[in-house]
Amino acid sequence: IGIRVKSLSEEARQRSLRTLDLFLTTLLEATAGGLPDNFVVTLRNLNLIASVNASAPYNVLWLLSSDPALSTSYRTYRFVDEHDAFYFPHHVSQIDSGRVLVMDNGVKRPDGANFSRAVEYALDARAGTANLTWQFEYPLNMSAHTLATRSVRDVESLDTQSAIGNSVTRMDSGHYLVAFTDEAAANDDDGAASATRSNSLIFDVNEHGRLHAGLVIEGDSVWGAGTYRVIPYEGIYGEKAACPFQ
């Protein structure tokens, strides 16, 4: 469940209230009318993930921050390696194993290598650290096989940047559904990137970061972004993968 916080100014009031209504309705449907004890959210402009107890006493359980200068009294996890940090995080979840799954949109990285990736972190409560356990970027993944012939910098410079939206979901199969939803589309005339067209790159990836399937959806937008996230469903009209006649 995600929400984009918008202002309540006169210009944005109706859109803000509509967003809040959709958010609260979806939340209550998903939790059978209750509020979750562990409500995990991203504050992308602060490069921060927060776990909040949405029921009494409404306290912050922990933070995961990419900002080494962050000063707070809340329990805060730090990255073991600075290259594991996220920038403009989006679409976070904490899966059954306790690991944190999130899209690292990669906007304004300190080293200038602005690529996007899906990442998973294991939180070490005793050490107060976050360890990168899984990642996927495209077209070159940061695997031992790739790094045998290319430098880390080469991989980062060639991988897709999708600055807006994006999503990652761990499916029941153990695979991950990864979507880069704002990949600049090529102009049909001269091949240049278009300011009004963007593609969605959707991938089925296993736990080792290996690609099983991919789908490209061409999108048009009047304001420069395409789709926002991709969510897996078992079926459209109730159909199942298993044959009903067996």
Side-chain angles (χ1 to χ4, degrees):
I1 302 171
I3 183 172
R4 294 191 67 187
V5 178
K6 306 179 189 299
S7 70
L8 290 176
S9 64
E10 286 301 322
E11 295 80 7
R13 183 181 299 275
Q14 291 302 317
R15 185 180 180 190
S16 299
L17 292 176
R18 185 173 67 250
T19 300
L20 185 61
D21 178 56
L22 288 170
F23 168 73
L24 292 176
T25 301
T26 305
L27 175 61
L28 293 174
E29 287 178 352
T31 60
L35 292 174
D37 293 331
N38 178 30
F39 190 60
V40 185
V41 297
T42 56
L43 291 83
R44 70 171 193 174
N45 287 15
L46 300 179
N47 290 322
L48 187 70
I49 294 174
S51 174
V52 181
N53 184 357
S55 303
Y58 311 110
N59 58 320
V60 175
L61 302 176
W62 53 260
L63 305 176
L64 175 56
S65 172
S66 296
D67 183 1
L70 178 69
S71 177
T72 176
S73 60
Y74 294 124
R75 179 182 185 180
T76 303
Y77 289 93
R78 305 290 184 179
F79 292 99
V80 174
D81 188 326
E82 63 180 7
H83 293 98
D84 296 344
F86 48 69
Y87 295 91
F88 273 47
H90 188 255
H91 200 263
V92 66
S93 61
Q94 191 165 18
I95 57 181
D96 291 341
S97 65
R99 294 182 177 182
V100 176
L101 188 62
V102 67
M103 287 300 298
D104 172 13
N105 285 4
V107 177
K108 298 181 180 179
R109 294 185 191 275
D111 60 2
N114 294 328
F115 66 98
S116 302
R117 61 182 177 171
V119 288
E120 185 179 285
Y121 302 105
L123 302 181
D124 187 329
R126 178 171 296 180
T129 56
N131 298 276
L132 181 68
T133 57
W134 177 89
Q135 66 176 348
F136 177 79
E137 62 264 28
Y138 182 82
L140 298 175
N141 204 10
M142 202 72 70
S143 64
H145 176 75
T146 301
L147 296 178
T149 57
R150 296 178 182 270
S151 68
V152 171
R153 188 67 178 181
D154 285 342
V155 174
E156 293 175 344
S157 65
L158 292 170
D159 279 334
T160 291
Q161 161 99 71
S162 178
I164 301 174
N166 309 316
S167 60
V168 55
T169 304
R170 184 172 174 103
M171 299 183 288
D172 292 340
S173 65
H175 286 201
Y176 300 81
L177 184 68
V178 181
F180 303 101
T181 58
D182 189 39
E183 193 258 352
N187 190 304
D188 293 336
D189 297 326
D190 56 13
S194 170
T196 58
R197 293 187 57 224
S198 58
N199 292 334
S200 292
L201 309 180
I202 305 168
F203 302 105
D204 177 352
V205 185
N206 74 4
E207 65 274 19
H208 304 295
R210 295 175 181 170
L211 180 63
H212 274 235
L215 175 68
V216 177
I217 299 178
E218 294 186 354
D220 294 299
S221 174
V222 296
W223 54 281
T227 53
Y228 196 66
R229 62 170 61 93
V230 174
I231 300 173
Y233 286 91
E234 292 185 359
I236 299 174
Y237 291 108
E239 69 275 18
K240 301 292 183 181
C243 177
F245 303 109
Q246 293 180 343

